């Protein structure tokens, strides 16, 4: 333990592993957020891309990312390290995306039920900055679970076991859904005007 007059040890958070940063963040969080900020910096772009791919627009993706970062900040003390930090982070992200997706779906059904003019609501997902708009349109034709498997695999670059853990599915079921989702995407590419 350091005394008040003793300077705090400085470290370069960019050189630490995720596990070391998690441990540092648990100790620091009452005083500073250096380790937490480094963890979020490492995953911020991928986290946003996962949310944007899943939700189909940047506005909702940004909102969900902010919510995920807050949940990580408040949940780090309870993170036990039984899974990798990355898996835990994407598990929170997956749950937040599902919650947001359901909110938007309910909102859309309500607008349809009230037969309001839905001009402001985008029918096609808006393109993500710097990425091909066609992929977003194709992903919108895949059901949400299959879409999430594809996004976690290609955007978050997770292993099948990590995806299975996040989605609370068996490994073989995850692989099968992944294979079927890829087939659906291939069919979209082969016949885009159907």
């Amino acid at each position: 333990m350091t005394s008040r007059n003793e300077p705090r040890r400085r470290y370069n958070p960019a050189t630490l592993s995720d596990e070391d940063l998690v441990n540092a963040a648990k100790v620091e969080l009452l005083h500073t957020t250096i380790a937490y900020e480094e963890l979020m910096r490492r995953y911020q772009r991928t986290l946003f891309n996962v949310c944007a791919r899943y939700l189909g627009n940047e506005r909702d993706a940004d909102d969900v990312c902010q919510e995920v970062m807050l949940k990580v900040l408040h949940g780090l003390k309870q993170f036990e390290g039984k899974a990798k930090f990355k898996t835990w982070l994407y598990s929170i992200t997956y749950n937040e995306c599902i919650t947001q997706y359901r909110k938007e779906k309910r909102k859309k059904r309500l607008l349809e039920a009230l037969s309001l003019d839905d001009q402001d609501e985008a029918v096609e997902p808006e393109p993500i900055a710097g990425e091909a708009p066609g992929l977003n349109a194709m992903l919108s034709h895949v059901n949400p679970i299959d879409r999430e498997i594809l996004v976690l695999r290609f955007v978050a670059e997770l292993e099948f076991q990590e995806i299975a853990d996040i989605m609370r599915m068996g490994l073989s079921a995850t692989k099968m859904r992944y294979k079927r989702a890829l087939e659906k995407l291939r069919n979209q590419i082969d016949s885009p005007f159907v």
Side-chain angles (χ1 to χ4, degrees):
M1 183 152 239
T2 61
S3 71
R4 273 189 155 179
N5 298 334
E6 210 177 304
R8 288 191 174 187
R9 285 187 227 154
R10 300 231 182 241
Y11 61 90
N12 182 354
T15 63
L16 299 178
S17 69
D18 287 355
E19 291 77 19
D20 290 337
L21 285 169
V22 167
N23 291 330
K26 285 181 176 183
V27 172
E28 294 174 351
L29 274 178
L30 293 177
H31 310 289
T32 183
T33 59
I34 294 170
Y36 165 78
E37 288 173 24
E38 176 62 21
L39 282 167
M40 293 300 95
R41 187 199 59 73
R42 284 184 186 179
Y43 292 100
Q44 181 178 11
R45 188 78 217 147
T46 306
L47 180 65
F48 177 79
N49 287 337
V50 165
C51 293
R53 287 272 187 236
Y54 186 76
L55 298 168
N57 70 71
E58 292 183 0
R59 179 186 46 85
D60 289 343
D62 193 45
D63 291 346
V64 168
C65 284
Q66 296 300 319
E67 189 63 33
V68 168
M69 287 192 261
L70 283 172
K71 288 197 178 211
V72 169
L73 177 66
H74 295 295
L76 262 174
K77 287 274 190 196
Q78 289 78 35
F79 176 64
E80 296 174 358
K82 292 179 181 174
K84 291 180 187 175
F85 172 78
K86 181 178 181 179
T87 305
W88 181 67
L89 173 67
Y90 289 117
S91 180
I92 294 170
T93 305
Y94 171 72
N95 289 328
E96 288 302 311
C97 283
I98 286 178
T99 300
Q100 182 65 29
Y101 179 80
R102 287 178 181 156
K103 282 182 198 173
E104 289 300 313
K105 199 171 178 181
R106 281 192 301 268
K107 179 180 168 186
K108 189 174 181 179
R109 277 197 308 248
L110 178 62
L111 289 172
E112 288 171 1
L114 296 172
S115 62
L116 294 175
D117 187 19
D118 200 7
Q119 297 293 330
D120 294 334
E121 295 294 316
V123 176
E124 278 296 312
E126 51 186 76
I128 299 166
E131 302 207 10
L135 183 57
N136 288 330
M138 286 184 266
L139 283 173
S140 71
H141 297 290
V142 178
N143 75 50
I145 293 173
D146 293 344
R147 181 179 338 140
E148 187 64 17
I149 289 171
L150 291 171
V151 168
L152 288 173
R153 181 72 175 154
F154 291 115
V155 179
E157 299 176 351
L158 296 179
E159 299 296 323
F160 285 114
Q161 186 60 59
E162 292 173 312
I163 296 168
D165 293 344
I166 288 169
M167 299 185 74
R168 295 179 184 93
M169 295 171 63
L171 181 59
S172 60
T174 302
K175 288 180 179 179
M176 182 58 72
R177 292 208 69 146
Y178 169 77
K179 182 181 175 191
R180 288 181 184 158
L182 276 181
E183 288 172 8
K184 287 177 189 176
L185 274 183
R186 282 189 192 109
N187 291 339
Q188 279 293 117
I189 292 168
D190 291 341
S191 55
F193 301 107
V194 175

